Structures are given as C-alpha cells and as structure tokens.
Amino acid sequence: MASPNLSKSPTVDRKPPPAHLYELSTYGAFNRRLVLGFNGVQKIMVTGTSLRASKEALRLTRIYPGMLYSTAGKPLNRDVMPDMSCAKESRYKNKLCKFIHTLYIAHFMLSGIQPHDAKSWEEGYMEELRDVAASPECVAIGVCGLDYNRDFSPPDVQREVFEKQIQLACELHKPLLVHERDSHEDLLEILDKYKDQLPLVVIHCFTGTAEEAQRYLDKGMYIGLTGYLCKDKSDTGVRKLLEDGVIPLERLLVETDSPFMYPNTKASKLPQHVKDGLTKRSLMFLTRYCSFQRNEPCSLPTIVEMIAAFMKKPPEEVALSTAFNALKVFGLSQ
C-alpha cells in the first residue's frame, strides 16, 4: 500500500465547511466560511452544547448531508465494520487513505448539554433532546460531562444532567462525547454506575494528566487531543503521555474543538523537534484561514503532525489510525 501523502489533500467535489461549531454565532457565520481549500477536511461533526444548539446542529447536518453530522447519531454496528485482521485490511486501508485530511475525530452532529449549560435544563428537555438524538444524522450524545474549573453551573446540577445524558446514550446505543475539567473522580464514579451498558466513550479535548488518561484507557475509553498540545506546560500532561506512549494509536482521536484550542505553532514551550516536523502546507492553512487564532478544521493536519512528532511516528501513521478510529467509534461511512 502506498503511504498517504500529507503534503497533498484529496480532491473533493464540494469543499467542506468549518468543523466543531460550538456557538450559535458560529452557526450564523457558517455559510460565510464556505471558502476554498479547508485542507481536505471531508467530514465534520457539529456538536450541540445546549438544546437549542443541538437543534441548530441537526438543521446544519440536513443542509450538508454526508459532510456534516452531529452528536447523538447513528450507533456503531460492529457487524458491518471491517475485520482489520483479515485479508481485507490492505484494501480497506487504501480507502482510508482518502480520509487522511478529514476531521480525524470526524465531527458530525452531536446532541447534548455541556456542563456550563446544565443550569438551563428544564422539565421536558429530555423528550426534546431524545427527538434530536434519535435522528440518523446524529452520531453521538454530547458534549456532556462535568466542569468544576469554571463552575458556570452548580456541581450537583451538572452531575444530574450528565447522568440523564448517559442514560440517553445507553438507551439509544450511541457513543458518548465527554467533557471533563477538574472533575475526574466524580466523572468516573458516575460512569461506573453504567459500566455494564455504557456505549463507547470519548474523552473530548483531553487536558488532564497521564495518570488520568491511563484510568480512562483502562476502562476502554478513547482520548481526543487538540491544539492544547501547544499550551500544555506540565511534566505529567498531554505531551508526557504521548512521549511515553501511554495512549495507543488505536485509542486516539484528533479534533479541533474549534473555534477554541488553536494550535499555536510559535509557542515558546513547543519543542524545536515538533516545530521542525510541521509541513509548509499545514502552516500555510493556519496562516490563511485561522485569523486572530480562531481555530478552524484546516488545523487538523498541523495537530496530527505535532502528535506524530511527540510520539516519534510518521504523520501518515497517526492520520490513518485516527481516521479509522473515527469511522469505527461513530459508525461513519467512508
């Protein structure tokens, strides 16, 4: 199999729009962001962080079918996923090469209530959220979870709303996209209540320690990484777990978390060997489209190249593995 080339993005008939659209203001600017050349991103997940945002995410996925998806979507059907241990592996991986520049966590439509918006939960929300989540365009439940760092919603309310969404994910058999800040123990305690029926879980935009990552991995969860790599300055954080090989490639997903977590490639704390591993093409897209350090889908190849440098692996290997993981976790078509 020929190695995929990160210096060239695949040809697509319709250039895809930005990914991971968090705020309604972002949705409003969506059509204005349909510019040429988003570095080959082909599939995008639009996350719902509130009931209103989840409905808007679903609307967008219906405008751009096959390109946009949302959280709260089609569950993984393991019976139809390819057997990577058989002779079909080479043929399937060749098809995956076309995904090398896709949104590696494949941002599709997600429905959920983020911890910051947990206080907005009202009677009747579950029924409305279930209607959105049951849509075929919705591929996961989330972003949901716990955030004790900012406490925009009371912790007891966050825990209650998070548990309701776990129950919805179990009911619909859809993956769970989880947000966690300074709440590791409480989050695991709640998830453990449902360990016998819990669907696949992705720890979204992981910013914790290597020890916390290991506990998630031990429970069969996936880790999503972003441009936070440029901000991490700790000796036990994201960079450390990549350098020490704590996260196996088969459990890694790459995401933008746009418009946040811009990969600042000029950060003083970013090691020189990582900066040297960045290609001119990926840097060009950052300069051209990520104005005022607003993150965009085109940043994904840069993030992949940084991860590869920290792991001392070829970028093509990281891209291929994370693309396949996205297909598998969210049950996406090729």
Side-chain angles (χ1 to χ4, degrees), residues 6-10 16 36-42 100-102 104 281-286 289 297-302:
L6 282 177
S7 66
K8 297 181 180 180
S9 58
L36 293 178
F38 273 91
N39 217 0
V41 174
Q42 295 180 18
I100 291 306
H101 285 282
T102 65
Y104 301 114
R281 180 182 177 82
S282 66
L283 293 174
M284 179 269 290
F285 273 90
L286 282 182
Y289 295 119
C298 62
S299 72
L300 282 169
T302 301

Side-chain angles (χ1 to χ4, degrees), residues 93-207:
K93 283 188 175 181
N94 278 327
K95 292 181 180 180
L96 274 180
C97 289
K98 299 176 182 178
F99 257 66
I100 291 306
H101 285 282
T102 65
L103 179 58
Y104 301 114
I105 187 176
H107 282 312
F108 291 47
M109 187 251 168
L110 314 165
S111 291
I113 309 296
Q114 198 182 40
H116 299 326
D117 292 295
K119 61 182 179 291
S120 68
W121 188 276
E122 297 178 358
E123 185 177 354
Y125 264 31
M126 178 58 80
E127 288 70 24
E128 292 189 66
L129 189 62
R130 181 183 287 107
D131 288 343
V132 175
S135 304
E137 297 91 347
C138 187
V139 297
I141 305 298
V143 178
C144 58
L146 303 176
D147 191 320
Y148 296 169
N149 181 269
R150 297 184 179 181
D151 272 350
F152 289 148
S153 292
D156 59 330
V157 175
Q158 291 188 43
R159 290 190 289 268
E160 179 182 357
V161 172
F162 179 41
E163 193 157 355
K164 289 180 183 294
Q165 292 178 91
I166 295 174
Q167 293 168 358
L168 181 61
C170 293
E171 173 191 336
L172 297 178
H173 306 291
K174 295 192 174 184
L176 197 62
L177 194 64
V178 174
H179 171 104
E180 182 269 315
R181 294 289 185 276
D182 298 342
S183 53
H184 180 72
E185 295 296 336
D186 281 4
L187 186 128
L188 283 181
E189 181 180 345
I190 294 174
L191 288 173
D192 282 345
K193 294 181 183 179
Y194 301 90
K195 61 183 179 181
D196 293 333
Q197 52 182 319
L198 200 64
L200 294 175
V201 175
V202 177
I203 304 300
H204 155 73
C205 189
F206 180 76
T207 59

Side-chain angles (χ1 to χ4, degrees), residues 209-284:
T209 66
E211 181 182 354
E212 291 170 346
Q214 189 61 63
R215 293 183 69 184
Y216 290 134
L217 293 168
D218 289 344
K219 293 180 180 294
M221 301 177 188
Y222 288 76
I223 303 293
L225 296 183
T226 66
Y228 177 75
L229 283 166
C230 298
K231 301 180 179 183
D232 179 37
K233 300 177 183 179
S234 69
D235 294 329
T236 60
V238 176
R239 296 182 184 181
K240 180 68 173 175
L241 61 91
L242 289 176
E243 291 171 340
D244 292 350
V246 173
I247 302 182
L249 276 180
E250 59 267 23
R251 295 283 193 82
L252 179 62
L253 294 172
V254 184
E255 52 183 327
T256 58
D257 197 23
S258 65
F260 314 112
M261 294 300 176
Y262 170 80
N264 182 10
T265 58
K266 297 180 181 180
S268 59
K269 294 293 184 179
L270 198 63
Q272 189 59 45
H273 79 276
V274 175
K275 294 180 179 180
D276 292 342
L278 302 177
T279 62
K280 291 183 179 180
R281 180 182 177 82
S282 66
L283 293 174
M284 179 269 290

Side-chain angles (χ1 to χ4, degrees), residues 281-316:
R281 180 182 177 82
S282 66
L283 293 174
M284 179 269 290
F285 273 90
L286 282 182
T287 304
R288 178 177 295 181
Y289 295 119
C290 296
S291 56
F292 303 103
Q293 295 196 348
R294 172 193 170 91
N295 204 3
E296 297 282 358
C298 62
S299 72
L300 282 169
T302 301
I303 298 171
V304 166
E305 289 168 0
M306 287 195 296
I307 290 174
F310 278 115
M311 298 182 78
K312 295 181 172 56
K313 293 181 179 292
E316 295 86 354

